[in-house]
Structures are given as C-alpha cells and as structure tokens.
Amino acid sequence: MLASKHDKLPLIAPPLWREVGLEVVGCEVDTDALGTFAGEVPRTLSMGQAAIAKARLGMESQGCSIGLASEGTVAPDPVTGMLLCDIEMISLVDAELGVVVSEVVRDFSITAVSETVTDWQGVLPLLIRADFPAHLLIVRPEGLPIVDLPPDLLVKAIADEGSLRAAVERCIAASPVGQARVESDLRAHCSPSRRRVINQAAEALARRLASQCPSCSVPGWGQVDLLRGLTCQDCGMWLPRAQRGVLLGCARCAERVEVPADRQFEDPSRCHACNP
Ligand SMILES: [Zn+2]
Ligand SMILES: [Zn+2]
C-alpha cells in the first residue's frame, strides 16, 4: 500500500517487486494535509514522522498491515548552506512484524529555480535553467502571503509557455511590488529530477528489505549509523568526526555489527590541524 497523491507508484513499485516480491498498490489519501511543497500548508512533522504518518494513513484507509510512503524536501544543504539538496526518504511500516524500515537519499543535482521577474522578458532566460517544460513551474505574486492566495494567483503545474505567460502577467498585476515569483514545481509528478531521486531511495529500501537480520531474521537489515573516530595519518591527532566505517543493525532487535572501512588513518587533507 503506497499512500501517495503524486504519481510515485511507477518509481517505487518496481524495485520492491523485483527485490522482495512486495506488490505495491497506490491509494489516494490526502497526504497534503501533512504539509505541501509549495508551502500553503505548513509542515509540522519531521520528514521521518511525516513519512510514517502517511504510511499509517494509507494502512488505515485500506485496512492492510503494511504501509509505504515517501517524503521529500528540497532546501539549501544544511552542511554547506550553498548547494540545493533534495532529501528523499521512504518508509515502510509493517504492523504485523512491528518494524519501520526507512531509507534516505541526498542528491545535489535537482533542477530548481526560484526568482522574481518584473516582466515576461525576464522569464525567458530562466526557462533553460528550469528545464522547462520538462520540469513544471509555479507562479505567484511577490509580496503577498502565500497562504491567502486564490488558485488563479498560485498557479501550479504550468507546462506550456502560453499558460506561463498568462500567469506571470496576472501575478505581476496583482503584486504590491509589481513582481511575479517563478519557481520550480517540486511536487513529484512535476519534477523529473526529483523523480529520479525518489526512485533511488526506493531502490535502497528494496535492497535493505532484501537483507535479513542475522539474529532474528526480520527484513530490513542495514546501516543504522556511522562509526567515527580516526587519527590523522600525518600528525596523529585524534579526529572524533572522521568516518571509520558503518554500523549495521536490525529494524526490530538490538543486533548490531560494526563494519570498519579499509583504512586506519584519516587523510591529512581532512585533518583540521594539517589542513585548517
Ligand atoms: Zn533482529
Ligand atoms: Zn593532521
């Protein structure tokens, strides 16, 4: 059962069928009630909580014991603050086994624009970077609160130049500052580059579900944390954040296995003493 409004089934069902023989069927639940991409319904849950809540909504509406949902966010990377990062999470809830199995994929190649324009000429250079019309656009007036906008001033899923131009001109006229904001419609059915990342997350989830816990045999065995702490190869300083390997774990029991990386020292280029 996949709780999704946005046409994610073809991205998620094939890997789960191929890897673990799980047949995923879509169901229509109002997942937008949990928050929307364009921002007119604010999100109050964390991404992980939202994905699990969505999965449970689908399970309740269909009366089945396994639920699946995906949740994404596109925002400046929290680490660098510069690159735009698409984080896609997919969660499977199995009520009978009592497990939640999730995977997260981060991607920095998403196609996304958000700019203001004062006339139609200003839109044209944007269209190449926005990969329009393969990626769809949203237009709204700048300077008005997004929550109060009527549908003709929060125009989504724009896919042709005629509609785009009409929306831009209407929003410029309605804006108190004479500007329209043109931005990528990042909902899954409107953004091919986001769709690719959702598919990668589904592939990762399918692989994780295909591995079982060596202790209790429940599916969903995989990385649960990073092992950290190495000394620098040159100066010998202890670097507590350096990645030393991964920790594998079970979705249900306490079984954990440390898998060290094949290196014993941190590269001096990542040492803050050798390379401040
Ligand atoms: Zn286990
Ligand atoms: Zn060093």
Side-chain angles (χ1 to χ4, degrees):
M1 181 59 48
L2 175 69
S4 171
K5 273 179 71 174
H6 296 142
D7 187 26
K8 293 176 183 170
L9 196 60
L11 309 175
I12 290 173
L16 288 166
W17 174 252
R18 192 187 65 232
E19 293 291 331
V20 287
L22 194 66
E23 189 176 358
V24 183
V25 294
C27 77
E28 286 280 319
V29 296
D30 184 14
T31 53
D32 280 356
L34 297 168
T36 62
F37 245 99
E40 73 275 32
V41 182
R43 295 178 174 191
T44 53
L45 301 172
S46 75
M47 194 162 54
Q49 290 169 329
I52 293 165
K54 268 189 200 177
R56 292 196 191 281
L57 275 178
M59 291 158 76
E60 279 161 25
S61 79
Q62 305 294 313
C64 60
S65 67
I66 297 181
L68 190 63
S70 93
E71 184 71 17
T73 177
V74 178
D77 174 39
V79 180
T80 64
M82 312 236 294
L83 290 168
L84 202 58
C85 181
D86 177 15
I87 304 176
E88 297 294 340
M89 172 173 239
I90 178 165
S91 294
L92 178 135
V93 178
D94 186 325
E96 266 171 32
L97 290 176
V99 295
V100 175
V101 182
S102 301
E103 277 288 353
V104 178
V105 172
R106 285 177 175 72
D107 183 272
F108 293 96
S109 61
I110 183 132
T111 299
V113 297
S114 178
E115 289 190 22
T116 55
V117 295
T118 53
D119 57 25
W120 171 245
Q121 287 306 313
V123 179
L124 297 173
L126 205 59
L127 297 184
I128 293 170
R129 268 190 297 130
D131 188 30
F132 181 81
H135 284 71
L136 309 191
L137 291 170
I138 293 180
V139 177
R140 61 185 165 91
E142 183 71 0
L144 292 176
I146 193 169
V147 286
D148 299 334
L149 294 174
D152 66 325
L153 291 179
L154 181 60
V155 192
K156 298 184 181 184
I158 301 171
D160 67 273
E161 213 168 296
S163 314
L164 180 61
R165 182 166 190 162
V168 165
E169 286 170 353
R170 195 161 62 242
C171 289
I172 288 171
S175 164
V177 292
Q179 296 175 348
R181 179 160 292 275
V182 178
E183 55 195 4
S184 302
D185 192 334
L186 293 170
R187 293 173 298 162
H189 59 298
C190 302
S191 172
S193 54
R194 221 193 122 209
R195 292 178 75 74
R196 199 190 61 239
V197 185
I198 294 169
N199 177 246
Q200 287 168 5
E203 292 279 355
L205 182 75
R207 283 194 299 275
R208 183 180 284 253
L209 289 169
S211 14
Q212 297 180 344
C213 171
S215 172
C216 75
S217 299
V218 154
W221 176 258
Q223 183 181 328
V224 292
D225 208 348
L226 294 173
L227 303 174
R228 293 190 186 275
L230 286 172
T231 52
C232 171
Q233 188 153 23
D234 272 8
C235 73
M237 182 191 272
W238 175 248
L239 302 165
R241 299 292 301 158
Q243 189 180 328
R244 180 166 56 85
V246 298
L247 184 67
L248 303 182
C250 175
R252 188 171 68 179
C253 77
E255 182 73 5
R256 297 288 182 271
V257 172
E258 294 196 356
V259 183
D262 55 0
R263 59 184 190 147
Q264 291 177 310
F265 300 100
E266 179 64 303
D267 191 288
S269 69
R270 297 181 189 218
C271 168
H272 49 82
C274 296
N275 189 17

